Amino acid sequence: MKAEIITIGDELLIGQVVDTNSAWMAQRLNEAGISLHQVTSVHDDRQHILRALDEAFSRVDIVLTTGGLGPTKDDITKHVLCEYFHTTLIEDPIVREHILTLYKERPDVLNRLTATQWLVPASATILTNRVGSAPIMVLPLSNSEASTKLLISMPGVPYEMQVAMTEQVIPFLESKVESLRSKARGQVIHRTILLAGIPESTLAIRIEAWEDALPKTMHLAYLPKDGTIRLRLSTYGEATAEEMDAQIAALLPLISDYVIALEDKPLEGILGELLKQQNATIATAESCTGGRLAAALNTLPGSSAYYLGSVVAYANEVKEQVLGVEHDTLMQYGAVSEQTVREMAEGVRRLMHTDYAIATSGIAGPDGGTEDKPVGTVWIAWATPEGTVAERYQFGVARLREQITQRAVTTALIRMIQIIR
């Protein structure tokens, strides 16, 4: 079964809001065994929405829309859906009661515009939006029992959409595709391997014979990002899980030196799991990355079990007074040096009483580079119970500041994973 996503809102097309909803929805749909065919963004414009619906239903059975469900005049999605599905708006008493309960402590919100939120298309099945006032609406394209085409309209606020998808939409859709999922074939299946330390072209040459021998029912994709490569093997209802696993088993001996994980997980999650397994702790000392490494490490629930804290030591005075970097080290070698970054890592490990520590110091640009230390130069150190190691990296003078710092964070996490293992 295939689906398409239509995101509705002028803000998406002028760059005021980034469409993060579609990527999140795509992952959930694939997990449910539903293949995403296309994502389309449209203006808050009647004709644009109607045309997008026509085109989507010509290709797929399931269309999911987000946005345009608010109470103001620019939110026209419900009215356009009524036109498209040849129905009218009616008051839904359950939605009305939900909204009254939702805002019982905020009477200022309950006004004549809020009251329009409990108006829904008469032909729609309503799914509960536990965290918002905009209803989740399911509309069949045809009243015929044989028809499988339907539209699901959801709010565009990311948090509301995610709750709606998790609690209502995905269970609803899974019931629709259960007959497909119960068969050995007919599932959308992905197998992803995360690699680091090998260029994409080198990897392709190394596994060329294996790739050429893949059955036509399987498709391989290379997804490079910030020094890592996600190698994804996919089948869209044409191969079994056992057949996919057999191919992965044949591939692994060819790439074992570069494998970080046998699933598509964030590096900070992989590192966190390793630290928890060892009952170990970690801290960070950051200069050029400005706290981004700390943000990555504490982003996951439960990170307090292993991540104790960070010192963002941008100024040399902080490196000296907080982390204990020697004044002579900074004067003789500079802030961006092996000696300084080693002392930063050892200093924060000592300060936080952790098993491991990571330190970064570099020149992220666009200014500040020299002939010996051009923009993109970053030193990273990893302090462990067995000692400290440091490496110099050149992440490219032509990269943007954000790209250099992100590459430094990724590299720091990868190397820490490799060290702990």
Side-chain angles (χ1 to χ4, degrees):
M1 186 173 287
K2 292 184 178 180
E4 288 198 15
I5 296 171
I6 300 175
T7 59
I8 301 169
D10 292 348
E11 67 277 8
L12 300 170
L13 294 168
I14 65 173
Q16 189 175 33
V17 173
V18 176
D19 175 23
T20 58
N21 282 349
S22 295
W24 192 92
M25 292 167 67
Q27 291 179 328
R28 304 292 87 76
L29 290 169
N30 268 271
E31 291 167 1
I34 298 169
S35 175
L36 183 62
H37 183 73
Q38 184 169 310
V39 176
T40 304
S41 294
V42 300
H43 287 285
D44 290 299
D45 175 81
R46 168 186 167 274
Q47 200 58 47
H48 202 179
I49 297 171
L50 291 172
R51 185 165 58 249
L53 290 171
D54 268 341
E55 292 173 357
F57 275 122
S58 73
R59 294 183 290 257
V60 301
D61 291 322
I62 300 169
V63 178
L64 300 102
T65 68
T66 63
L69 297 180
T72 54
K73 291 180 180 179
D74 60 322
D75 293 308
I76 63 171
T77 298
K78 283 195 293 189
H79 298 282
V80 176
L81 292 180
C82 281
E83 179 179 349
Y84 190 83
F85 289 93
H86 308 291
T87 188
T88 58
L89 290 175
I90 62 170
E91 181 177 310
D92 187 296
I94 297 177
V95 176
R96 181 179 184 276
E97 185 60 31
H98 165 69
I99 293 173
L100 292 175
T101 302
L102 188 68
Y103 295 124
K104 66 180 180 180
E105 304 297 333
R106 298 182 59 192
D108 58 308
V109 177
L110 294 172
N111 51 48
R112 60 185 177 84
L113 288 182
T114 308
T116 65
Q117 292 292 77
W118 54 68
L119 297 177
V120 301
S123 61
T125 298
I126 305 303
L127 305 179
T128 302
N129 177 6
R130 178 174 59 84
V131 295
S133 61
I136 307 162
M137 301 174 291
V138 181
L139 291 119
L141 189 62
S142 166
N143 291 327
S144 169
E145 292 185 4
S147 175
T148 60
K149 292 181 180 289
L150 56 87
L151 176 138
I152 301 177
S153 173
M154 292 175 288
V157 178
Y159 171 64
E160 288 190 37
M161 178 280 298
Q162 291 177 14
V163 173
M165 284 285 289
T166 302
E167 296 184 355
Q168 299 288 350
V169 176
I170 289 300
F172 176 84
L173 290 176
E174 283 182 327
S175 69
K176 295 291 183 183
V177 298
E178 187 174 355
S179 59
L180 292 176
R181 290 166 60 83
S182 65
K183 300 177 182 179
R185 298 180 187 272
Q187 300 181 53
V188 177
I189 303 172
H190 300 292
R191 294 289 184 266
T192 302
I193 302 174
L194 182 64
L195 303 101
I198 183 171
E200 183 182 7
S201 57
T202 304
L203 174 63
I205 292 171
R206 177 176 282 239
I207 67 173
E208 186 174 13
W210 173 86
E211 184 177 359
D212 289 344
L214 280 174
K216 292 183 179 180
T217 55
M218 302 180 193
H219 312 276
L220 186 69
Y222 297 78
L223 306 170
K225 181 182 179 182
D226 296 329
T228 66
I229 300 173
R230 283 176 292 168
L231 201 60
R232 190 191 68 224
L233 186 66
S234 303
T235 183
Y236 297 91
E238 300 171 300
T240 66
E242 291 76 15
E243 290 168 341
M244 296 280 283
D245 291 339
Q247 290 295 334
I248 294 298
L251 170 64
L252 285 175
L254 305 175
I255 58 174
S256 58
D257 292 345
Y258 307 100
V259 173
I260 299 296
L262 297 179
E263 55 187 324
D264 189 8
K265 295 186 67 173
L267 293 168
E268 56 269 24
I270 298 167
L271 178 56
E273 288 181 1
L274 288 172
L275 290 166
K276 284 192 286 187
Q277 289 169 10
Q278 297 184 14
N279 196 28
T281 55
I282 192 168
T284 56
E286 304 183 62
S287 182
C288 66
T289 50
R292 290 172 179 82
L293 188 55
L297 283 168
N298 75 2
T299 190
L300 298 176
S303 58
S304 60
Y306 53 84
Y307 179 62
L308 298 196
S310 174
V311 174
V312 179
Y314 208 60
N316 283 354
E317 291 81 3
V318 180
K319 292 180 177 72
E320 288 186 51
Q321 297 169 17
V322 179
L323 295 175
V325 177
E326 294 290 339
H327 179 77
D328 289 345
T329 299
L330 290 164
M331 293 300 99
Q332 182 175 353
Y333 301 105
V336 182
S337 66
E338 176 180 2
Q339 292 80 4
T340 294
V341 82
R342 279 177 172 271
E343 292 185 27
M344 288 173 64
E346 291 164 357
V348 78
R349 180 172 178 258
R350 183 172 57 250
L351 183 67
M352 302 283 183
H353 304 287
T354 57
D355 299 287
Y356 300 98
I358 306 173
T360 64
S361 186
I363 304 169
D367 303 316
T370 66
E371 185 175 347
D372 292 338
K373 299 175 183 178
V375 169
T377 301
V378 177
W379 274 97
I380 307 175
W382 299 266
T384 78
E386 288 74 38
T388 303
V389 295
E391 297 286 346
R392 181 184 188 275
Y393 297 90
Q394 175 48 249
F395 294 131
V397 295
R399 291 179 182 269
L400 299 175
R401 183 180 182 87
E402 179 62 30
Q403 293 173 320
I404 291 169
T405 54
Q406 183 55 53
R407 189 66 180 271
V409 169
T410 300
T411 302
L413 293 173
I414 290 170
R415 188 74 176 100
M416 192 79 262
I417 292 168
Q418 293 169 332
I419 289 170
I420 292 178
R421 280 181 173 166

